[in-house]
Coordinates of all heavy atoms in Angstrom, one line a residue:
M61 N -41.7 -22.0 31.7 CA -42.6 -21.5 32.8 C -42.4 -19.9 32.9 O -41.5 -19.5 33.6 CB -42.2 -22.1 34.1 CG -42.6 -23.6 34.1 SD -42.2 -24.2 35.8 CE -42.2 -25.9 35.4
P62 N -43.2 -19.2 32.3 CA -43.1 -17.7 32.4 C -43.5 -17.2 33.7 O -44.5 -17.7 34.3 CB -44.0 -17.2 31.3 CG -44.9 -18.3 31.0 CD -44.3 -19.6 31.4
R63 N -42.8 -16.2 34.2 CA -43.2 -15.6 35.5 C -42.8 -14.2 35.5 O -41.7 -13.8 35.0 CB -42.3 -16.3 36.6 CG -42.6 -16.0 38.0 CD -41.8 -16.9 39.0 NE -41.8 -18.2 38.5 CZ -40.6 -18.8 38.0 NH1 -39.5 -18.2 37.9 NH2 -40.7 -20.1 37.6
E64 N -43.7 -13.3 36.0 CA -43.4 -11.9 36.1 C -43.0 -11.6 37.5 O -43.7 -11.9 38.4 CB -44.6 -11.1 35.7 CG -44.4 -9.6 35.6 CD -45.7 -8.9 35.2 OE1 -46.3 -9.3 34.2 OE2 -46.1 -8.0 35.9
V65 N -41.8 -11.0 37.7 CA -41.3 -10.7 39.0 C -40.9 -9.2 39.0 O -40.3 -8.7 38.1 CB -40.1 -11.5 39.3 CG1 -39.5 -11.2 40.7 CG2 -40.4 -13.0 39.2
T66 N -41.2 -8.5 40.1 CA -40.9 -7.1 40.3 C -39.6 -7.0 41.0 O -39.4 -7.5 42.1 CB -42.0 -6.4 41.1 OG1 -43.2 -6.5 40.4 CG2 -41.7 -4.9 41.2
H67 N -38.6 -6.3 40.4 CA -37.3 -6.0 41.0 C -37.3 -4.5 41.3 O -37.7 -3.7 40.5 CB -36.2 -6.4 40.1 CG -36.1 -7.9 39.9 ND1 -35.3 -8.7 40.7 CD2 -36.7 -8.7 39.0 CE1 -35.4 -9.9 40.3 NE2 -36.2 -10.0 39.3
T68 N -36.7 -4.2 42.5 CA -36.6 -2.7 42.8 C -35.1 -2.2 42.9 O -34.9 -1.0 43.1 CB -37.3 -2.5 44.2 OG1 -36.6 -3.4 45.2 CG2 -38.7 -2.8 44.1
A69 N -34.2 -3.1 42.7 CA -32.7 -2.7 42.8 C -32.4 -1.9 41.6 O -33.0 -2.0 40.5 CB -31.8 -3.9 42.9
H70 N -31.4 -1.0 41.8 CA -31.0 -0.1 40.7 C -29.5 -0.4 40.3 O -28.9 0.4 39.6 CB -31.2 1.3 41.0 CG -32.6 1.7 41.2 ND1 -33.4 2.0 40.2 CD2 -33.4 1.7 42.4 CE1 -34.7 2.2 40.7 NE2 -34.6 2.1 42.0
G71 N -28.9 -1.4 40.9 CA -27.5 -1.7 40.6 C -27.2 -3.1 41.0 O -28.0 -3.8 41.6
P72 N -25.9 -3.5 40.8 CA -25.5 -4.9 41.2 C -25.3 -5.1 42.6 O -25.0 -4.1 43.4 CB -24.2 -5.0 40.3 CG -23.7 -3.7 40.3 CD -24.8 -2.7 40.2
R73 N -25.2 -6.3 43.0 CA -24.8 -6.7 44.4 C -23.5 -7.5 44.2 O -23.5 -8.6 43.5 CB -25.9 -7.6 45.0 CG -25.4 -8.5 46.1 CD -25.1 -7.8 47.4 NE -25.2 -8.6 48.6 CZ -24.3 -9.4 49.0 NH1 -23.1 -9.6 48.3 NH2 -24.5 -10.1 50.1
I74 N -22.4 -7.0 44.7 CA -21.1 -7.6 44.5 C -20.9 -8.7 45.5 O -21.2 -8.6 46.7 CB -19.9 -6.6 44.7 CG1 -20.1 -5.3 43.8 CG2 -18.6 -7.2 44.5 CD1 -20.1 -5.6 42.4
L75 N -20.6 -9.9 44.9 CA -20.4 -11.1 45.8 C -19.0 -11.1 46.4 O -18.1 -10.7 45.7 CB -20.7 -12.4 45.0 CG -22.1 -12.5 44.4 CD1 -22.2 -13.8 43.6 CD2 -23.1 -12.5 45.5
T76 N -18.9 -11.6 47.6 CA -17.6 -11.7 48.2 C -17.4 -13.1 48.8 O -18.4 -13.8 48.9 CB -17.4 -10.6 49.4 OG1 -18.3 -11.1 50.5 CG2 -17.9 -9.3 49.0
P77 N -16.2 -13.4 49.2 CA -16.0 -14.8 49.8 C -16.9 -15.0 51.0 O -17.2 -16.1 51.3 CB -14.5 -14.7 50.1 CG -13.9 -13.8 49.2 CD -14.9 -12.7 49.0
A78 N -17.2 -14.0 51.7 CA -18.1 -14.1 52.8 C -19.5 -14.6 52.5 O -20.3 -15.1 53.3 CB -18.3 -12.8 53.6
D79 N -19.9 -14.5 51.2 CA -21.2 -15.0 50.7 C -21.2 -16.5 50.5 O -22.3 -17.1 50.4 CB -21.6 -14.3 49.4 CG -21.8 -12.8 49.6 OD1 -22.5 -12.5 50.6 OD2 -21.3 -12.1 48.7
V80 N -20.1 -17.2 50.6 CA -20.1 -18.6 50.4 C -20.7 -19.3 51.6 O -20.4 -19.0 52.7 CB -18.6 -19.1 50.2 CG1 -18.6 -20.7 50.1 CG2 -18.0 -18.5 48.9
D81 N -21.6 -20.2 51.3 CA -22.3 -21.0 52.4 C -21.2 -22.0 53.0 O -20.6 -22.8 52.3 CB -23.4 -21.9 51.8 CG -24.2 -22.6 52.8 OD1 -23.6 -23.3 53.6 OD2 -25.4 -22.5 52.8
D82 N -21.0 -21.8 54.3 CA -20.0 -22.6 55.0 C -20.2 -24.0 54.9 O -19.3 -24.9 54.8 CB -19.8 -22.1 56.4 CG -19.2 -20.7 56.5 OD1 -18.5 -20.3 55.6 OD2 -19.5 -20.1 57.6
E83 N -21.5 -24.5 55.0 CA -21.8 -25.9 55.0 C -21.7 -26.5 53.6 O -21.2 -27.6 53.4 CB -23.2 -26.1 55.5 CG -23.3 -25.8 57.0 CD -24.7 -26.1 57.5 OE1 -25.5 -26.8 56.9 OE2 -25.1 -25.5 58.6
K84 N -22.3 -25.8 52.6 CA -22.3 -26.4 51.2 C -21.0 -26.0 50.4 O -20.7 -26.7 49.4 CB -23.6 -25.8 50.5 CG -24.8 -26.3 51.1 CD -26.0 -25.7 50.4 CE -27.3 -26.2 51.0 NZ -28.5 -25.5 50.4
G85 N -20.3 -24.9 50.8 CA -19.2 -24.5 50.1 C -19.5 -23.9 48.7 O -18.6 -23.8 47.8
D86 N -20.7 -23.4 48.5 CA -21.0 -22.7 47.3 C -21.9 -21.5 47.5 O -22.2 -21.2 48.7 CB -21.7 -23.6 46.3 CG -23.0 -24.2 46.8 OD1 -23.5 -23.7 47.8 OD2 -23.5 -25.1 46.2
V87 N -22.2 -20.8 46.4 CA -23.1 -19.7 46.5 C -24.2 -19.9 45.5 O -23.9 -20.2 44.3 CB -22.4 -18.3 46.1 CG1 -23.4 -17.2 46.1 CG2 -21.2 -18.1 47.0
A88 N -25.5 -20.0 45.9 CA -26.6 -20.2 45.0 C -27.3 -18.9 44.8 O -27.9 -18.3 45.7 CB -27.5 -21.3 45.6
I89 N -27.3 -18.5 43.5 CA -28.0 -17.2 43.1 C -29.4 -17.6 42.7 O -29.6 -18.5 41.9 CB -27.2 -16.5 42.0 CG1 -25.8 -16.3 42.4 CG2 -27.9 -15.3 41.5 CD1 -25.6 -15.3 43.6
C90 N -30.3 -16.8 43.2 CA -31.8 -17.0 42.8 C -32.0 -16.6 41.4 O -31.7 -15.4 41.0 CB -32.6 -16.2 43.8 SG -34.4 -16.2 43.3
L91 N -32.6 -17.5 40.6 CA -32.9 -17.2 39.2 C -34.5 -17.2 39.1 O -34.9 -16.8 38.0 CB -32.3 -18.1 38.3 CG -30.8 -18.1 38.2 CD1 -30.3 -19.1 37.2 CD2 -30.3 -16.7 37.8
C92 N -35.2 -17.6 40.1 CA -36.6 -17.6 40.0 C -37.2 -16.2 40.3 O -38.3 -15.9 39.9 CB -37.2 -18.7 40.8 SG -37.3 -18.4 42.6
G93 N -36.5 -15.4 41.1 CA -37.0 -14.1 41.5 C -37.9 -14.1 42.7 O -38.4 -13.0 43.0
L94 N -38.0 -15.2 43.4 CA -38.9 -15.2 44.5 C -38.3 -15.3 45.9 O -38.9 -15.2 46.9 CB -39.9 -16.5 44.4 CG -40.7 -16.5 43.2 CD1 -41.5 -17.8 43.2 CD2 -41.6 -15.3 43.0
S95 N -37.0 -15.3 45.9 CA -36.3 -15.5 47.2 C -36.4 -14.3 48.1 O -36.3 -13.1 47.7 CB -34.8 -15.7 47.0 OG -34.1 -15.8 48.2
E96 N -36.6 -14.5 49.4 CA -36.7 -13.5 50.4 C -35.3 -13.0 50.8 O -35.1 -12.1 51.4 CB -37.4 -14.0 51.7 CG -38.9 -14.3 51.5 CD -39.8 -13.1 51.2 OE1 -39.5 -12.1 51.7 OE2 -40.7 -13.3 50.4
E97 N -34.3 -13.8 50.3 CA -32.9 -13.5 50.6 C -32.2 -13.1 49.4 O -31.0 -13.2 49.2 CB -32.2 -14.8 51.2 CG -32.8 -15.4 52.4 CD -32.8 -14.5 53.6 OE1 -31.8 -13.8 53.7 OE2 -33.7 -14.6 54.4
Y98 N -32.9 -12.6 48.4 CA -32.4 -12.2 47.1 C -31.2 -11.3 47.2 O -31.1 -10.4 48.1 CB -33.5 -11.4 46.3 CG -33.2 -11.4 44.8 CD1 -33.5 -12.4 44.0 CD2 -32.6 -10.3 44.3 CE1 -33.3 -12.3 42.6 CE2 -32.3 -10.2 43.0 CZ -32.7 -11.3 42.1 OH -32.4 -11.2 40.8
P99 N -30.1 -11.6 46.5 CA -30.0 -12.4 45.3 C -29.6 -13.9 45.6 O -29.4 -14.6 44.7 CB -28.8 -11.7 44.6 CG -27.9 -11.3 45.7 CD -28.8 -10.8 46.8
F100 N -29.7 -14.2 46.9 CA -29.4 -15.6 47.2 C -30.6 -16.5 47.2 O -31.7 -16.1 47.6 CB -28.6 -15.7 48.5 CG -27.4 -14.9 48.5 CD1 -27.4 -13.7 49.3 CD2 -26.3 -15.2 47.8 CE1 -26.3 -12.9 49.3 CE2 -25.2 -14.4 47.8 CZ -25.2 -13.2 48.5
C101 N -30.5 -17.8 46.7 CA -31.6 -18.7 46.8 C -31.9 -19.1 48.2 O -31.0 -19.4 49.0 CB -31.1 -20.0 46.0 SG -32.3 -21.4 46.1
D102 N -33.2 -19.1 48.5 CA -33.6 -19.6 49.9 C -34.5 -20.7 49.8 O -35.2 -21.1 50.8 CB -34.2 -18.4 50.7 CG -35.6 -18.0 50.1 OD1 -36.0 -18.5 49.0 OD2 -36.2 -17.1 50.7
G103 N -34.7 -21.4 48.6 CA -35.6 -22.5 48.4 C -37.0 -22.1 48.0 O -37.8 -23.0 47.7
S104 N -37.3 -20.8 47.9 CA -38.6 -20.4 47.4 C -38.9 -20.9 46.0 O -40.1 -20.9 45.7 CB -38.7 -18.9 47.5 OG -38.6 -18.4 48.8
H105 N -38.0 -21.2 45.2 CA -38.2 -21.7 43.9 C -39.1 -23.0 43.9 O -39.7 -23.2 42.9 CB -36.9 -22.0 43.1 CG -36.0 -23.0 43.9 ND1 -35.1 -22.6 44.7 CD2 -36.1 -24.3 43.8 CE1 -34.5 -23.7 45.2 NE2 -35.1 -24.7 44.7
R106 N -39.2 -23.7 45.0 CA -40.0 -24.9 45.1 C -41.5 -24.5 44.8 O -42.2 -25.4 44.4 CB -39.8 -25.6 46.4 CG -38.4 -26.1 46.6 CD -38.3 -26.9 47.9 NE -36.9 -27.2 48.2 CZ -36.2 -26.5 49.0 NH1 -36.7 -25.5 49.8 NH2 -34.9 -26.8 49.2
R107 N -41.9 -23.2 45.1 CA -43.2 -22.8 44.9 C -43.6 -22.8 43.4 O -44.7 -22.7 43.0 CB -43.5 -21.5 45.5 CG -43.3 -21.5 47.0 CD -43.2 -20.1 47.6 NE -44.3 -19.3 47.2 CZ -44.2 -17.9 47.1 NH1 -43.1 -17.3 47.4 NH2 -45.2 -17.2 46.7
T108 N -42.6 -22.8 42.5 CA -42.8 -22.7 41.1 C -42.9 -24.1 40.4 O -43.2 -24.2 39.2 CB -41.7 -21.9 40.4 OG1 -40.5 -22.7 40.4 CG2 -41.5 -20.6 41.1
E109 N -42.7 -25.2 41.1 CA -42.6 -26.5 40.5 C -43.8 -26.9 39.8 O -43.7 -27.8 38.9 CB -42.1 -27.5 41.6 CG -40.7 -27.3 42.1 CD -40.3 -28.2 43.2 OE1 -41.1 -28.9 43.8 OE2 -39.0 -28.2 43.5
D110 N -45.0 -26.4 40.3 CA -46.2 -26.9 39.6 C -46.8 -25.8 38.6 O -47.9 -25.9 38.2 CB -47.3 -27.3 40.6 CG -47.7 -26.1 41.5 OD1 -47.0 -25.1 41.5 OD2 -48.8 -26.2 42.1
E111 N -46.0 -24.9 38.3 CA -46.4 -23.9 37.2 C -46.6 -24.6 35.9 O -45.8 -25.4 35.5 CB -45.4 -22.7 37.1 CG -45.3 -21.8 38.3 CD -44.3 -20.7 38.1 OE1 -43.5 -20.8 37.1 OE2 -44.3 -19.8 38.9
S112 N -47.7 -24.1 35.2 CA -47.9 -24.6 33.8 C -47.0 -23.8 32.9 O -46.9 -22.6 33.0 CB -49.4 -24.5 33.5 OG -49.6 -24.7 32.1
P113 N -46.5 -24.5 31.8 CA -45.6 -23.8 30.9 C -46.4 -22.8 30.0 O -45.9 -22.0 29.3 CB -45.0 -24.9 30.1 CG -45.8 -26.1 30.3 CD -46.5 -25.9 31.6
D114 N -47.8 -23.0 30.0 CA -48.6 -22.1 29.1 C -49.3 -21.0 29.9 O -50.1 -20.3 29.3 CB -49.7 -23.0 28.5 CG -49.1 -24.1 27.6 OD1 -48.1 -23.9 27.0 OD2 -49.7 -25.2 27.6
T115 N -48.9 -20.8 31.1 CA -49.5 -19.7 31.9 C -48.5 -18.8 32.5 O -47.4 -19.2 32.8 CB -50.2 -20.4 33.2 OG1 -51.2 -21.4 32.7 CG2 -50.9 -19.4 34.0
L116 N -48.8 -17.5 32.4 CA -48.0 -16.4 33.0 C -48.4 -16.2 34.4 O -49.6 -16.0 34.7 CB -48.1 -15.1 32.2 CG -47.3 -13.9 32.7 CD1 -45.8 -14.2 32.7 CD2 -47.7 -12.7 31.9
Y117 N -47.4 -16.2 35.3 CA -47.7 -16.0 36.8 C -47.1 -14.7 37.3 O -46.0 -14.3 36.8 CB -47.2 -17.2 37.6 CG -47.8 -18.5 37.2 CD1 -47.1 -19.4 36.3 CD2 -49.0 -18.9 37.8 CE1 -47.7 -20.6 36.0 CE2 -49.5 -20.1 37.5 CZ -48.9 -21.0 36.6 OH -49.5 -22.2 36.2
K118 N -47.7 -14.1 38.3 CA -47.1 -13.0 39.0 C -47.3 -13.4 40.5 O -48.4 -13.8 40.9 CB -47.8 -11.7 38.7 CG -47.2 -10.5 39.4 CD -47.6 -9.2 38.8 CE -46.9 -8.1 39.5 NZ -45.5 -8.0 39.2
Y119 N -46.3 -13.2 41.3 CA -46.3 -13.5 42.7 C -46.4 -12.1 43.4 O -45.5 -11.3 43.2 CB -45.1 -14.2 43.2 CG -45.1 -15.7 42.7 CD1 -44.7 -16.0 41.3 CD2 -45.4 -16.7 43.5 CE1 -44.8 -17.3 40.9 CE2 -45.4 -18.0 43.1 CZ -45.1 -18.3 41.7 OH -45.1 -19.6 41.3
V120 N -47.4 -11.9 44.2 CA -47.6 -10.6 44.9 C -47.8 -11.0 46.4 O -48.8 -11.7 46.7 CB -48.9 -9.9 44.4 CG1 -49.1 -8.6 45.1 CG2 -48.7 -9.6 42.9
D121 N -47.0 -10.4 47.2 CA -47.1 -10.6 48.7 C -47.2 -12.1 49.1 O -48.0 -12.5 49.9 CB -48.3 -9.8 49.3 CG -48.1 -8.3 49.1 OD1 -46.9 -7.9 49.1 OD2 -49.1 -7.6 48.9
G122 N -46.4 -12.9 48.4 CA -46.4 -14.3 48.7 C -47.5 -15.1 48.0 O -47.5 -16.3 48.2
E123 N -48.4 -14.4 47.3 CA -49.5 -15.1 46.7 C -49.3 -15.2 45.2 O -48.9 -14.3 44.5 CB -50.8 -14.4 46.9 CG -52.0 -15.0 46.3 CD -53.3 -14.1 46.5 OE1 -53.3 -13.4 47.5 OE2 -54.1 -14.1 45.6
R124 N -49.5 -16.4 44.6 CA -49.4 -16.6 43.2 C -50.7 -16.3 42.4 O -51.7 -16.8 42.8 CB -48.9 -18.1 42.9 CG -48.8 -18.3 41.4 CD -48.2 -19.6 41.1 NE -49.1 -20.7 41.4 CZ -48.7 -22.0 41.4 NH1 -47.5 -22.3 41.1 NH2 -49.5 -22.9 41.7
R125 N -50.6 -15.5 41.4 CA -51.7 -15.2 40.6 C -51.4 -15.5 39.2 O -50.3 -15.4 38.7 CB -52.0 -13.7 40.7 CG -52.3 -13.2 42.1 CD -52.6 -11.7 42.2 NE -52.7 -11.3 43.5 CZ -52.7 -10.1 43.9 NH1 -52.5 -9.1 43.1 NH2 -52.9 -9.7 45.2
E126 N -52.5 -15.9 38.4 CA -52.3 -16.1 37.0 C -52.6 -14.8 36.3 O -53.6 -14.2 36.7 CB -53.3 -17.2 36.5 CG -52.9 -18.6 37.1 CD -53.8 -19.7 36.6 OE1 -54.5 -19.5 35.6 OE2 -53.7 -20.8 37.1
V127 N -51.8 -14.5 35.3 CA -52.0 -13.2 34.6 C -52.7 -13.5 33.3 O -52.2 -14.4 32.6 CB -50.6 -12.5 34.4 CG1 -50.8 -11.3 33.6 CG2 -49.9 -12.3 35.7
T128 N -53.7 -12.8 33.0 CA -54.4 -12.9 31.7 C -53.8 -12.0 30.7 O -53.6 -10.8 31.0 CB -55.9 -12.6 31.9 OG1 -56.5 -13.4 32.9 CG2 -56.6 -12.7 30.6
V129 N -53.3 -12.5 29.6 CA -52.8 -11.7 28.6 C -53.8 -11.6 27.4 O -54.2 -12.6 26.9 CB -51.5 -12.4 28.0 CG1 -50.8 -11.5 26.9 CG2 -50.5 -12.6 29.2
K130 N -54.1 -10.4 27.1 CA -55.0 -10.1 26.0 C -54.3 -10.1 24.7 O -53.2 -9.5 24.6 CB -55.7 -8.7 26.2 CG -56.6 -8.7 27.4 CD -57.3 -7.4 27.6 CE -58.2 -7.4 28.8 NZ -58.8 -6.1 29.0
E131 N -54.8 -10.8 23.8 CA -54.3 -10.9 22.4 C -54.9 -9.8 21.6 O -56.1 -9.5 21.7 CB -54.4 -12.3 21.8 CG -53.7 -13.3 22.6 CD -53.7 -14.7 21.9 OE1 -53.9 -14.7 20.6 OE2 -53.7 -15.7 22.6
E132 N -54.1 -9.2 20.8 CA -54.6 -8.1 19.9 C -55.2 -8.6 18.6 O -54.9 -9.6 18.1 CB -53.5 -7.1 19.6 CG -53.0 -6.4 20.8 CD -51.9 -5.4 20.5 OE1 -51.8 -4.9 19.4 OE2 -51.1 -5.2 21.4
Ligands
FES290 S1 -33.9 -20.0 42.6 FE1 -35.1 -18.5 43.5 S2 -35.3 -19.2 45.5 FE2 -34.1 -20.7 44.6

């Protein structure tokens, strides 16, 4: 499932023991790129569950758009 995500950070975010979720006992890092709590997962990845593997998507201001890729 390809997805184009815009990142604006210019460096790493160092994780500390304070980042561990007290209830779950773990730290979930967002790999979908859509979390409002980035770099932590906030469940936003559920919005990607119906993405087609043959379509490129871009999420802008919470809205999903299909990206048309021109072939040369
Ligand atoms: S993996 Fe991105 S919000 Fe969960």
